[in-house]
Amino acid sequence: MTTPLSAPVPAGGVDGARLPLRPELADEAPYGAPQLDVPVALNVNENPYAPSEEVVTTISRYVAEATRGLNRYPDRDFADLRSDLADYLALESGVRVAPEQVWAANGSNEVMLHLLQAFGGPGRTALSFAPTYSMYPEYARDTHTRWVTGRRATDFTLDVDHAVATIEEVRPSVILLASPNNPTGTALPLATVEAVLDAAARVEVPDAPEHDGRRAGAVVVVDEAYAEFRRPGTPSALELLAAHPHLAVSRTMSKAFGAAGLRLGYLAASSALVDALRVVRLPYHLSAVTQAAARGALAHHAELRAQVRDLRDDRDALVAWLRAQTVDGRPLQVADSDANFVLFGTFGDRHAVWQQLLDRGVLIRETGPDGWLRVSVGTPAENAAFRDALTEVVAAAPTPEKED
Ligand SMILES: Cc1ncc(COP(=O)(O)O)c(C=O)c1O
């Protein structure tokens, strides 16, 4: 018998197999939202639109070309892809970086794992501010890095004084800031990121190399997985790159680009920081097929960006609709969102609401602080199905109090 895919790994092994599992992995479950076959899946913040036939044709052409050279290992430094990603970032944000300042891997999850492999490690600390993306502690665990969280305010913003005090107290080597944040949708003002960058540069990481009598400070990672969905006027931390060599801004093609299945994440940083990541990556970690498919998708960035504009409008409409709903006589609370999802609540028993939506064919995510739920923005038809289902669920009965 094998362990079900989402089940914890039993500490005592499976079927009597005695394996030297690392103690901290015993009884840990593999990360992942349920992959259920439902009519309306709004649970993992994907782009609901499949690639158009034009995009499919271009990707197929690029991949066919790469296939002809599959007897050879791929370009280890993915020079063409880096150059295309740098061009895309310049168009998207107005910030021009050199191809050597770009790094890529199989999803931004792997990009951030590389960051922890290079800058975390035994005796070191990674810091973030909760509630935030639930994979961060796993990068820390897997690299033997101590994991510490400060907190976000009740409106999910980050208080600068608290952030700076926590950095000074913890002296982390890596600080992870998601902006827009998952699961709350909150983008950070540049002034907040700058304050964190300054504090990160001031602290001395206990075992870091010394330069001019001072030890190096922390690397700050701004995870901009959802950046393309930010509202007009919300800046990107890419704007801070030129002045901060200890900053890395992570992006992905999984969300706005509608290419979650591709597994392509990337970052922009100083070339010195990127050089450190080259040391920890596996050789040829980005397959020739991945590199080709990503370049094919990037060639259609203009079309994809038009789609993102529609999704942003639909997100704003969903926020407005949710804010007009009442539950048990109280208006729903809805977090401001710069992403392609919305966090809303609060419910006495959010699991019951999640289940009743699922019973109606709508899968959303039970995540974030207790009482809150997160819904991804889908197609107009999917959003309507969600609205109808939620209307029925809250009208059917007062939301039950949670059974403990
Ligand atoms: C904040 C955040 N960062 C990173 C990721 C990872 O994305 P990927 O590995 O698909 O690039 C996600 C995925 O949901 C996310 O929400």
Side-chain angles (χ1 to χ4, degrees), residues 44 107-109 112 133 136 178 182 223 225-226 252 254-255 263 265:
V44 286
S108 53
N109 269 309
M112 288 187 276
Y133 184 39
Y136 296 159
N182 180 8
D223 175 0
Y226 301 95
T252 182
S254 297
K255 309 297 178 183
R263 306 310 297 131

Side-chain angles (χ1 to χ4, degrees), residues 31 43-46 105-112 132-136 139 177-183 223-226 250-255 259-266 340-341 365 374:
Y31 175 86
N43 65 329
V44 286
N45 304 337
E46 296 154 330
N106 297 282
S108 53
N109 269 309
E110 191 183 36
V111 168
M112 288 187 276
T132 191
Y133 184 39
S134 43
M135 271 302 293
Y136 296 159
Y139 312 146
L177 301 176
S179 177
N181 185 40
N182 180 8
D223 175 0
E224 292 195 346
Y226 301 95
S250 170
R251 295 269 184 122
T252 182
M253 293 182 74
S254 297
K255 309 297 178 183
L262 174 63
R263 306 310 297 131
L264 198 288
Y266 57 103
N340 66 336
F341 55 82
R365 191 78 181 262
R374 191 194 71 194

Side-chain angles (χ1 to χ4, degrees), residues 49-73:
Y49 298 107
S52 69
E53 277 313 303
E54 290 74 27
V55 175
V56 171
T57 304
T58 309
I59 292 178
S60 308
R61 195 159 44 79
Y62 276 64
V63 169
E65 192 52 42
T67 309
R68 296 197 173 89
L70 279 189
N71 55 315
R72 302 289 179 193
Y73 282 111

Side-chain angles (χ1 to χ4, degrees), residues 308-377:
V308 166
R309 277 195 289 278
D310 291 344
L311 284 166
R312 266 193 258 148
D313 291 345
D314 292 347
R315 181 260 331 268
D316 292 341
L318 189 57
V319 168
W321 182 83
L322 282 164
R323 285 196 169 134
Q325 307 310 303
T326 49
V327 174
D328 303 341
R330 285 179 292 118
L332 267 184
Q333 293 184 61
V334 186
D336 285 336
S337 178
D338 279 285
N340 66 336
F341 55 82
V342 184
L343 191 74
F344 63 99
T346 57
F347 300 99
D349 183 351
R350 69 168 169 186
H351 181 71
V353 176
W354 177 85
Q355 183 63 57
Q356 288 165 40
L357 290 170
L358 183 57
D359 295 343
R360 289 163 174 80
V362 179
L363 176 62
I364 66 167
R365 191 78 181 262
E366 197 179 346
T367 184
D370 201 20
W372 295 78
L373 291 166
R374 191 194 71 194
V375 61
S376 310
V377 179

